[in-house]
Every structure is written in C-alpha cells, then in structure tokens.
Amino acid sequence: MSSVSHAQAPIELEPDAHEELRRRIVNRGHCAIVGLQWGDEGKGKIVDLLTRDYDVVVRYNGGANAGHSVVVANERYALHLIPSGILYPEKTNVVANGVVVDPAQMIAEIDGLRDRGIEIGDNLRLSDRAHLVMPYHKLQDGLMEQALSRARGDNQKIGTTGRGIGPCYADKAQRATGIRAGALLDPDRFRRKVAEVVAIKNVLLEALARSCDEPYEQIDAGALADEYLGYADRLGGHICDSTRLLHDAMSGGQRLLFEGANATLLDIDHGTYPFVTSSNCSSLGVHTGAGIPGHCVRSIVGIVKAYQTRVGGGPMVTELKDETGDRIREAGREYGTTTGRPRRCGWLDLVAIRYSAEVSGATSIALMLLDVLSGFDRLKICVGYRHQGRKLDGFPSDAGVLAGAEPIYDEVEGFAEPVCACRRFDELPEAARSYVRYIEKFVGVPVQIISVGPRRDQTIVRQEETRAK
Ligand code: IMP
C-alpha cells in the first residue's frame, strides 16, 4: 500500500507522556470519549491519540451530522460516520446500533479513504440494528425547519445540519416507518418495507410541503429500493450483529474505545432541549447505543475546548457577538466540518461544563485548542448565571431560562506567548497553567491532556499529580 505512511505515522508523543496516558486513562479499562460542550471540541484528535492502546473503536450515536477532523502526518482527514480508528490498519471499527447511517455517505467515506491508501475490509463493521437515513429524512428535516419557523413567525429554527438525523430517529421511535441496516440483507423484504414506508411518507410529506408552499414530487418506492440495494452490494459485507461482536471482543480481553459524536449539551435528554440533536450523545448513550452495560466503561474522557462554540440555534450564555468573538473564530478556524457554517464563539462556560462532566461522568478532561487563546490580555471565565436578577443554582433544565440568563464572569490574566511548541505542562506560561488549574478545580475533574495544536505531537500529557479538588 503506497501511502501507508499516513496511517502508520508514529505518535510523536514522548514515551513517558504516552506511558502516563496509559497509566491514567487506558489502564482503567474500556473508555468513552465525549464532548462536554456543544460539539466540535476536537474529539477526533484524542480518539486518534488513544486508539493505539485499544482494539476496537466504536461509534454509538448520531450520524453524518458529526464531523471529525484528524490530522495525521500533516494530512487532514474529515470523517463523518466512520470511526477515526480506521486510520490504523489493525483496529476494528464499529458503527453500532445507536448510529443512524446514510449509506451513500458511508460509501463516499470508504472510497475517499481508499483513494488515500487506507485499507477497508473486515476492519469496518456496521450494526444490523443501526437505522438507515433515507432521502425523505433529509427532505423532512428541511421542511420541518421551515414549518417550525413559519409556525413561530420569528424565523427561529433548531438549525439542524439538514442530514435527516431527527426524522430518522423519529422513525426509529415510531417503529412503523423505521428501516434498519439489517433489512438490506434481504432484498425482497427490503422492497416490501420501502414500499410500505414510502406510501405513508408520500402522504405526510406532501401535506408538509404544501404547508410550506413547496412543491412535492412523489417518491418512487421501487427506484428508492433499487438505489439502496445498490448500496447493499457495497456495504453488505460490513453488516453484522455488532452487540454480539462487542461482547465477544470484551470476553476475549480486547479493549473498547467509544467515540462520541456531537456532545453532552446536545444530548436529546440532558442537553439544551429542544436545541439539541436526536440521540444520547453524552456518555450515557454508550450503553443503549452499543449494547454495553453501564459498569463496563470505567474511563470517560471529557473533551473541552478552551472557549465555547456552538453551531445552529439555541441558548449560549457566553456568546460574543463582537470583535473578540470574531478573533476567536478566526484563530480557532471555527467553521463547521460538516456544513461549513461559521460557529458562534464565546468565553469558556464552566457552569455548563461542570454540569456536562457530571452527566457524562468524566473521569478526566482533555483541554483542546489552548493555543487559540494566546495573545489575549485577559480571559473571562463564566462561573455563574444570573436570571431576572437572581443567581441561578447550576445549569437550568429549561432552554428558555438559559436563553434569558446572563453570565457571571471571573476575569483572569491571559498569556501573550504562543504555546503551540510546548510539550510539557511546566513549559506553558504561568497564566496558561493557572487557567488549566482553574478549570479542573471548578469542574472537579483533572485536566490530564492539553492540546496546543492540531498535530499529534502538539499534546501535553500532565505528568505531575493533578488534583481536581
Ligand atoms: P441535527 O443533529 O442535524 O438534527 O442538528 C441539531 C443541532 O445539533 C443543530 O444545532 C446542529 O448544529 C447541532 N449539531 C449536530 N451535530 C453537531 C456536531 O457534531 N457539532 C456541533 N453541532 C452539532
């Protein structure tokens, strides 16, 4: 394989730093990596760093709404559905039952990776229980956004990625209209199922389109089934009972790494509902989304960006709609991997992060993009919320209350120096170290990894005793 070097580029972490990662994270057992903000925290890089110590990398939630960028040997890989463990030839990568899969997207990713010399065969497995995203889900996603906006009359939307995620999960819960990947393995049954569902969808979507003054073209069930059975030819060999596979892997002593997509504040139950995605993207989703009992996952790495970002609608207490926000956006290249949308940027919100660390049960924090904050004289950290003149007790469950909340800031010294060349905690400027200590003390979880740039080597693994409290 000519470009094997991309996949096998060494992790340029110093051996003692890597040993420390093993001691503090890997040796605890099966591990989940989850974002503690609104996504795009840089989970892909940490998954990539840890993958070498695990045997199986598992996606358990979301779909092609997620976008993981991983930089290996100066090559950037943008992955949406396929776990980033695919960059290592010897790892098994599982898209588990909790994921909603757009087969065309998955095939495009497979082809893109193969073009760059990554081998894909038995190392990629797709759960037969995972639900299929169909073209009508994407149509419904767009129409629902329009319908909502019209009904409210204020142009307010959820701001979805338009990838059909919500409607696909809704059909999964609806049952009559859900179609699982396993159905692709039996063409006759698949055709019958598609015909049944399309008959219902044509009625519902036509009415929805009419209410939005949009034209509607009836879906041809036969053509749709043909299209998807074409995908089955490509994906069929990857489809399996992934729950069985994962339990067999665990009994065989293999280590599992769960790669969260989206993030805890976008969790359908525990996020800023209704401005959330449609899956349990906190670590809680591992259990239902991969069929793994709660007690099995002992190490949970919460990924936190050194500031706050959000794409789409919904409350964001520390949002900066000014030059400071623009400066963070440009320095952090804060534009969506999936949709290219500019991300909303703001100061770090520790009230939100403490809440998500609790919900997700984070046992350690990886602090990402610290380099982006270089050059600010002062840094603000949100340590409380005020609502209608009263200080709130923690993170509110009602997005309306959050939308009306104002941040209570603590202001700390910034650091002028670039930090992207620092490889040890004691090489960071004192103000940067204080910022890190502030976070772990407030959240109550140790910051064990600090990322100071996109490359693997631009990573500090804390060597000294880190105390969270
Ligand atoms: P959906 O997942 O496409 O339905 O979008 C619902 C909300 O979640 C929107 O605000 C999206 O912008 C947001 N969202 C979904 N996935 C991600 C992600 O991976 N990163 C950041 N935001 C996301």
Side-chain angles (χ1 to χ4, degrees), residues 38-40 65-67 141 158-163 165-166 261-262 266 275-278 310-313 341:
W38 282 289
D40 313 307
N65 52 352
D141 202 352
I158 294 194
T160 72
T161 58
R163 301 292 165 107
I165 307 299
N262 327 118
L266 290 171
F275 300 99
V276 291
T277 189
S278 304
R310 174 159 209 171
V311 277
R341 288 182 288 180

Side-chain angles (χ1 to χ4, degrees), residues 306-307 324 327 347-350 367 370 373-383 408-417 429-442:
Y307 45 91
T324 308
R327 190 171 153 191
W347 296 118
L348 190 68
D349 182 347
L350 288 187
L367 183 67
L370 185 63
L373 294 184
S374 284
F376 283 92
D377 290 341
R378 312 281 297 165
L379 299 171
K380 289 189 184 176
I381 303 176
C382 178
V383 293
I408 301 171
Y409 283 123
D410 196 358
E411 211 172 295
V412 299
E413 211 183 308
F415 42 101
E417 310 87 326
E430 176 48 35
R433 278 181 278 158
S434 300
Y435 191 69
V436 172
R437 290 199 188 100
Y438 196 120
I439 295 168
E440 61 192 358
K441 187 156 185 252
F442 192 98

